[in-house]
Amino acid sequence: QQKVQQSPESLIVPEGGMASLNCTSSDRNVDYFWWYRQHSGKSPKMLMSIFSNGEKEEGRFTVHLNKASLHTSLHIRDSQPSDSALYLCAANANSAGNKLTFGIGTRVLVRP
Amino acid sequence: GGIITQTPKFLIGQEGQKLTLKCQQNFNHDTMYWYRQDSGKGLRLIYYSITENDLQKGDLSEGYDASREKKSSFSLTVTSAQKNEMAVFLCASSMGNYAEQFFGPGTRLTVL
């Protein structure tokens, strides 16, 4: 059973549009979420992290976290073709130390 | 900044063969990780190590061995390669708990 669920599996967004990605953990010990971006043929790179309830914004990227429901979402506004990538959500549980659990990812395609 | 190098970049082996993948980092990070990524999907943790000579099993450790020879290097051995082993193996490192993980470029394994 996948402890970190991501939806949708894939997403097509017009250039300039908004992409919204979701991630939920089923592990009640999770207290930190990460979003990584992986361009095709490249390795994952950290995009944003969040551990407090609420919202965090960095440029065109906004992350929300609801700790009660263990749900996080990533929103990309003014999407660019260079945002086309696999977006991976990962969760840190306070009982698991350095160990991250990754979801299977959401593949985003931004159409010019 | 720092860099993670993985060797070899491509590895072709025969079914049943023992194969070794190597990873070096110069971030001076304490923790190192080995992940497997199948066909553009999420990452599954094989082994990780929080310090030199330490070894912790991940969710996918069966069929693999690992060794943390020194702080900067972490190797992974596929004990008996199977045809369904074909995947990209990613090495990562981080400073410790709740710290960003940095990834190497990966080793693509093909089993004939």
Side-chain angles (χ1 to χ4, degrees):
Chain A
Q1 184 193 349
Q2 188 66 252
K3 283 190 175 177
V4 175
Q5 303 265 12
Q6 287 188 248
S7 64
E9 268 192 38
S10 61
L11 189 58
I12 299 174
V13 184
E15 186 173 356
M18 171 80 89
S20 294
L21 291 67
N22 296 294
C23 173
T24 304
S25 173
S26 57
D27 184 347
R28 301 303 308 177
N29 293 310
V30 161
D31 57 1
Y32 213 115
F33 284 91
W34 304 81
W35 286 94
Y36 281 78
R37 182 167 70 177
Q38 185 178 25
H39 285 109
S40 183
K42 304 288 186 187
S43 53
K45 284 189 169 46
M46 199 272 289
L47 198 55
M48 293 180 76
S49 64
I50 191 163
F51 60 92
S52 299
N53 256 337
E55 175 181 303
K56 185 175 169 183
E57 184 177 325
E58 286 178 12
R60 296 184 294 108
F61 298 88
T62 303
V63 173
H64 291 268
L65 175 62
N66 180 327
K67 291 189 87 166
S69 59
L70 295 176
H71 178 261
T72 179
S73 56
L74 172 69
H75 305 273
I76 310 170
R77 63 175 169 79
D78 189 24
S79 296
Q80 301 299 307
S82 58
D83 295 325
S84 297
L86 182 67
Y87 289 78
L88 296 160
C89 175
N92 240 131
N94 53 34
S95 56
N98 307 46
K99 190 177 155 185
L100 283 185
T101 301
F102 282 83
I104 63 167
T106 293
R107 188 163 295 283
V108 174
L109 176 63
V110 180
R111 282 246 165 90
Chain B
I3 193 165
I4 297 178
T5 54
Q6 290 188 237
T7 54
K9 192 167 177 166
F10 299 96
L11 181 57
I12 299 174
Q14 301 288 331
E15 200 168 10
Q17 195 176 357
K18 184 174 170 181
L19 302 165
T20 298
L21 293 70
K22 291 190 182 292
C23 176
Q24 297 260 7
Q25 53 97 0
N26 64 1
F27 285 100
N28 199 34
H29 283 165
D30 292 315
T31 308
M32 295 185 74
Y33 309 81
W34 276 107
Y35 291 94
R36 172 175 157 167
Q37 185 172 35
D38 291 88
S39 182
K41 297 289 189 184
L43 280 60
R44 288 186 287 172
L45 183 65
I46 306 171
Y47 271 99
Y48 67 107
S49 165
I50 61 174
T51 188
E52 187 178 332
N53 295 319
D54 174 72
L55 212 52
Q56 310 276 342
K57 288 184 178 181
D59 301 320
L60 201 67
S61 60
E62 193 164 328
Y64 302 94
D65 282 328
S67 174
R68 184 85 181 270
E69 304 89 1
K70 48 187 179 180
K71 188 175 182 179
S72 62
S73 66
F74 194 29
S75 58
L76 179 74
T77 298
V78 181
T79 55
S80 176
Q82 304 297 314
K83 288 226 165 157
N84 62 5
E85 210 86 64
M86 291 188 280
V88 175
F89 290 81
L90 291 163
C91 175
S93 71
S94 73
M95 187 50 83
N97 277 6
Y98 301 108
E100 178 184 352
Q101 291 188 17
F102 293 84
F103 286 83
T107 292
R108 183 173 293 276
L109 173 64
T110 301
V111 181
L112 302 175

